[in-house]
Amino acid sequence: MGRGWRGGRGWQQAEVPPADDAAAWFGGRLPDGWFTGAPEVTVDREEIIVVGELPPLTEEHADDAARAAAEEGRISRYREETRDERIEIARQAEHRYQRKVAWGARLGGTTALFTTHSAPVMTRLRQPERLVLDTLVDAGVARSRSDALAWAVRLVGQHADSWLGELREAMTKVDDLRSKGPDLG
């Protein structure tokens, strides 16, 4: 299919199947014991990211740096030990949802994502916006305009997190109302 409006979700190149049930599907598909609870499943148009909490460390550590190193080591071990199963589950999910699947793990204060998808995004910027990106590049904050734009988006996301959450909730309510509306076709 060509470009089209996706029910209030903006313009995109092709239709992808809904992934409203992705959290439940992964919850039912993942082996028992991988995580201490249900994983956090985040879905967008291109990717599904599954992040689970690993069992807590039981040993004592001399300081925060040693604890962080132990957490990173445990996450690394989890990544290696589950690699083949994660690949198979991702293959099934990618077929079902037509999106890439990435994984992650959280332990204490450490979160690591494995092989996340980096999707190109086309944008048109006027000179004042380009000058902002060029300043970030010239100052060494970013290697390129693309990196500068990604940095700016992350910064906005960090500082506007609660507002973005409210906006997503409002969009969900609008989608719900649309689905309950009269059929005019």
Side-chain angles (χ1 to χ4, degrees), residues 25-154:
W25 186 86
F26 277 98
R29 177 61 183 86
L30 295 178
D32 294 336
W34 267 17
F35 304 125
T36 59
E40 177 183 317
V41 178
T42 308
V43 178
D44 72 5
R45 294 177 187 141
E46 291 86 21
E47 181 178 35
I48 299 172
I49 300 178
V50 181
V51 179
E53 183 79 30
L54 299 179
L57 299 173
T58 56
E59 55 275 354
E60 294 294 321
H61 296 92
D63 55 26
D64 290 342
R67 175 170 281 288
E71 290 170 355
E72 287 176 22
R74 179 71 56 83
I75 290 172
S76 179
R77 183 175 79 194
Y78 162 81
R79 183 179 185 186
E80 292 302 318
E81 289 177 351
T82 62
R83 182 181 313 271
D84 291 340
E85 282 183 280
R86 285 186 297 105
I87 288 171
E88 177 58 24
I89 294 167
R91 187 188 64 71
Q92 293 170 11
E94 287 171 5
H95 178 75
R96 179 182 177 101
Y97 297 113
Q98 301 297 301
R99 293 165 172 87
K100 294 291 182 190
V101 174
W103 298 89
R106 184 176 300 112
L107 178 57
T110 305
T111 300
L113 298 179
F114 321 141
T115 323
T116 57
H117 178 66
S118 184
V121 177
M122 169 62 176
T123 186
R124 297 185 186 280
L125 300 175
R126 301 207 182 277
Q127 189 179 42
E129 291 92 7
R130 292 191 311 266
L131 288 172
V132 170
L133 299 180
D134 292 342
T135 299
L136 294 171
V137 171
D138 293 344
V141 172
R143 294 184 311 257
S144 65
R145 282 181 170 177
S146 177
D147 285 344
L149 188 56
W151 178 85
V153 169
R154 281 191 303 272

